[in-house]
Every structure is written in structure tokens, then in C-alpha cells.
Amino acid sequence: MSQEFDVAIIGGGLAGLSAALTAGRLGHSVVLLTDGVPGGELLKIEKIDGVPGYAEGVPGYDLCPITQEQAEELGVEFVDEPATGISAEGEGWKIASGAGDIVARGLIMATGTAMARLGLPGEERLHGKGVSECASCDAPLLRGKVAVVAGGGDSAMQEALVLADHLEKVIMVMRGDGLAGQARYREAVEENPKIELRCNTVPTEIVGEDAVTAVKVKDEASGVEDEIAADAIFTFIGLVPNTGLVADLVALDDTGRIRVDAAMRSDAKGLCAVGNVREGSPHRAVGAMGDAAAAAVALDRYLATGAWRDA
Ligand SMILES: Cc1cc2nc3c(=O)[nH]c(=O)nc-3n(C[C@H](O)[C@H](O)[C@H](O)COP(=O)(O)OP(=O)(O)OC[C@H]3O[C@@H](n4cnc5c(N)ncnc54)[C@H](O)[C@@H]3O)c2cc1C
């Protein structure tokens, strides 16, 4: 026997939580499936920058639980089980999960992205033993030590700055001639005496028996190899969209993200996509929140009228 809701949301990051909040406020019965503690990639971030009203940033471990509480107060049901399958069911969608089947006329995909792995020798074996993607989780444990950060974009710079507050030295290795991303972060990184930049450099191997002891790197132009003695490596080299569940149900762009219109509607009736998983996402917290409101309003109209987008 399936549980029925007006709106089902898959993914408990900021996009999913915000969609739950708006759909709940619109008076719909809402279920949100998560695969762990809600909050997604922002849950562990010490300082979310760029959110209006928070000049000094806001901790993700504050903002996400508060948003969850707001949604719960509106009656949103949280299911701590990942969605394992999605299929069309009558006028709506059936979602399979460890908690049983859920049926909803409106579905919001908010499954976000996964961090791309480097795919290097030693990476899987030493994951959690010096290989990490969370600076704020591990920086206090690495006080006075040396870490490599792979990547030169916003996330890499933001996390390198967190690491530099605790570690003796942070070495950023990146493809290309220099840092890419927000000027604020670039300036802060370039001015930080604890952060060293190694451009045109790619990691080739992570070295260590029971814990990371070094990272082998190669100069992109000359091919010259080198070994950096380090206690940890943090990787921020790109994002892979979590769209496996809907790959056969909706149109995806060439990066694998869900194609949507301005109201976050996919080409499948009743299915919206929000946050990092949708085509053209700005990959910002406020973007995730805005998408969420647009999708919840679009589904509200759809539930009332049955009309979907033209294309
Ligand atoms: C290190 C870092 C720092 C950042 N700092 C900032 C910042 O300072 N300011 C800013 O504006 N933005 C920042 N961002 C970007 C911001 O985190 C994202 O734009 C935003 O959080 C995206 O939210 P989301 O809900 O789309 O995705 P996510 O946060 O990735 O959430 C998706 C959720 O869906 C879950 N999920 C996936 N598959 C399933 C399934 N089958 N069933 C159930 N659940 C599933 C995932 O586990 C996850 O919890 C940062 C990102 C990173 C990585």
C-alpha cells in the first residue's frame, strides 16, 4: 500500500528543504526523502557566503536545521531513506524507497551533485585517512600540519581558507594558469601567507600506508613529476549531478543535469528540478532557495489546473 502526498521531494539539501517549506506553506501534503541528515553539501560548511542578511556568512549547520524545523512545523513529513526508483503512476509519480512506496502528483528532484573524485591510485584506500572533501570537519584534526587542496574554483578556495586557519601550510594544486571564481575568494587566497599556489599542476597519486603522507604531482606543460609531503588532500575538482533515477524519464543537458524552464518544470508533467541538479544552476545557496520557491509555486498551479508547460 502506497502512501499518498500532493508533493514528493527527493533530496534534503537546501534546495529540497526550501521547496518543502514553500510547498508546505501553500497548504499541500508534502513528503521529503533524504539519505541522511538533511542539509546536503552545506550542512558542514562553517560559513555560507552570499546569503542576504548575513554579512559575515551563516553556518550551514545552523541554516539547514532551522529550515528543516520550519518545514516540519508546516507538517512536512521527512523520510530518512533514499529514493531507489521513480516511475510514472497514473497522473503522478511513484517513488520507491526503503520506507515503502510513495505516490505524489507533483515531484521535485533536489538530489544535488556529488563531488567528482580524482580517480588516483591511493584515493579510495585512503579516503577518511587524509583524503577528504570537508575542510571544516577535518581542519581542527590537522592543526599545525600540511594539506594539499586539489582544485582552483570557489569551493576549493573557500575550503583552503578554512584549512589555513588551522594548518601550518595549504598547497593548492590546479590545472591552468590560476584561480577561477569569485574575486573576493581569489584576493583572500592570494593574500594568505599560509596558502601556496601551484598552477598547471595535476595530482597523479596519493601516497601513504595507513594515512596520507604525500601527494605526487605532475607539471602539465613539462611533464616533470614531483612529490609534495602532506598529511591530507582535499578534492574540489567538480560536481557530478545525481540524476540516475530520472535519466530515462526527463530530458537532461549534456552535463547530465535536468533541463527545466524558468519555473523549474522539466519536460515530464508534474516533475520539477531545483538546485544543483537542474540545468544552468548557479550553484549558490540563494539560487537553490529561489529555484525551490519557483518549483513549489509551479506545482501548486499544476495541482490546481492540471496545466503544465507548453513545450
Ligand atoms: C565546499 C562548498 C562550499 C560552498 N559554499 C557556498 C557558499 O558559501 N555560498 C553559496 O551560496 N553556495 C555555496 N556552495 C554551493 C551550495 O552548497 C549549493 O549551491 C547548494 O547547497 C545546492 O543545494 P542542493 O540542495 O541543490 O544540493 P545538495 O546540497 O547536494 O543536496 C542534495 C541532497 O540530495 C540527497 N540525495 C541525493 N540522491 C538522493 C536520493 N536518491 N534519495 C534521497 N536523497 C538523495 C543528497 O544526499 C543531498 O543531501 C558551496 C558548495 C560546496 C561544495
Side-chain angles (χ1 to χ4, degrees), residues 132-276:
S132 172
E133 297 87 28
C134 180
S136 49
C137 313
D138 295 337
L141 308 172
L142 292 164
R143 200 171 288 279
K145 298 195 171 176
V146 176
V148 168
V149 170
D154 281 340
S155 298
M157 291 191 280
Q158 199 177 359
E159 297 292 83
L161 290 164
V162 171
L163 291 168
D165 282 344
H166 300 267
L167 278 66
E168 187 190 317
K169 191 170 182 186
V170 179
I171 301 157
M172 293 186 74
V173 300
M174 68 207 76
R175 291 184 180 278
D177 291 334
L179 298 166
Q182 294 178 50
R184 279 281 185 128
Y185 290 142
R186 288 204 309 269
E187 285 157 20
V189 165
E190 281 160 4
E191 283 167 10
N192 193 310
K194 286 193 185 173
I195 303 179
E196 177 187 325
L197 302 184
R198 291 189 59 169
C199 305
N200 300 303
T201 303
V202 288
T204 56
E205 185 178 339
I206 301 170
V207 182
E209 285 295 319
D210 301 322
V212 173
T213 54
V215 177
K216 287 189 182 172
V217 296
K218 187 166 83 175
D219 185 286
E220 278 185 309
S222 66
V224 172
E225 299 196 38
D226 187 10
E227 189 167 298
I228 302 172
D231 306 283
I233 175 166
F234 292 78
T235 49
F236 305 100
I237 54 157
L239 301 166
V240 182
N242 295 321
T243 43
L245 289 175
V246 291
D248 297 332
L249 300 173
V250 294
L252 305 178
D253 71 6
D254 54 13
T255 72
R257 289 169 172 78
I258 300 170
R259 285 195 186 281
V260 289
D261 67 5
M264 303 303 134
R265 293 174 295 197
S266 75
D267 62 344
K269 213 172 186 182
L271 193 156
C272 289
V274 297
N276 281 7

